[in-house]
Amino acid sequence: MAAQEVPITGTDSTAKIRTPWVVAVLTLVTLGIYGIVWYYKVNREMADLGRATGNTEELGDSPGTSLLAVTLGALIVVPAIISVVHTHKRIVASQRITGGGEPINGWLVLIMFLVGLSIVAYAYWQTGLNKTWEAQAGGVPAAAPSPAPAG
């Protein structure tokens, strides 16, 4: 259940492949605190990937600004909405840049946010990020070893 760290190619940084439902549950249990930390970290990971690939325009360069927009900026509402939209676009761009599978669905994320299921959206976003980090690390992370064949 623990997150697996993978190196971000071309940097000294790492990204985490996290269990999506754990992201949602920890956000709920900590009354949103984990979600705030998670939001900063995933934006930092994407910014690191952007610097490594020369795609800072698409992947951002300031995770602190993204975090500020969804915390204090949420008081004004508009900055938070813009940050959430940009984070979604960054996740899709990171999937495209790394070959991380079918891009996550923005309409589905919008519906989740509109009906008050942002923690489910976080888990869904994490599935897209996991595909990104697995692809850029060279494939699916090592699974538990298979039992040796009999005979």
Side-chain angles (χ1 to χ4, degrees):
M1 224 190 313
Q4 177 186 356
E5 285 195 7
V6 295
I8 297 174
T9 306
T11 72
D12 293 332
S13 301
T14 59
K16 287 188 178 179
I17 296 173
R18 299 168 180 91
T19 306
W21 66 266
V22 171
V23 172
V25 169
L26 286 176
T27 300
L28 184 63
V29 169
T30 62
L31 304 176
I33 293 171
Y34 179 81
I36 292 169
V37 172
W38 172 85
Y39 194 82
Y40 172 82
K41 287 185 176 189
V42 299
N43 276 284
R44 190 229 8 111
E45 292 166 356
M46 289 186 287
D48 290 345
L49 178 64
R51 281 190 281 283
T53 60
N55 287 301
T56 56
E57 185 70 32
E58 281 188 288
L59 297 178
D61 59 4
S62 181
T65 303
S66 298
L67 180 64
L68 189 61
V70 295
T71 53
L72 294 178
L75 298 172
I76 305 171
V77 179
V78 174
I81 293 170
I82 291 170
S83 181
V84 166
V85 168
H86 286 178
T87 295
H88 177 80
K89 287 180 178 181
R90 286 183 198 115
I91 293 168
V92 170
S94 70
Q95 287 185 273
R96 180 180 42 75
I97 290 165
T98 62
E102 187 70 26
I104 57 175
N105 186 313
W107 292 109
L108 188 56
V109 172
L110 176 64
I111 291 168
M112 289 177 201
F113 272 99
L114 289 176
V115 298
L117 295 174
S118 60
I119 62 171
V120 177
Y122 288 178
Y124 182 57
W125 274 347
Q126 187 61 56
T127 62
L129 288 165
N130 288 349
K131 292 175 187 175
T132 293
W133 305 130
E134 290 166 0
Q136 74 85 47
V140 179
S146 302

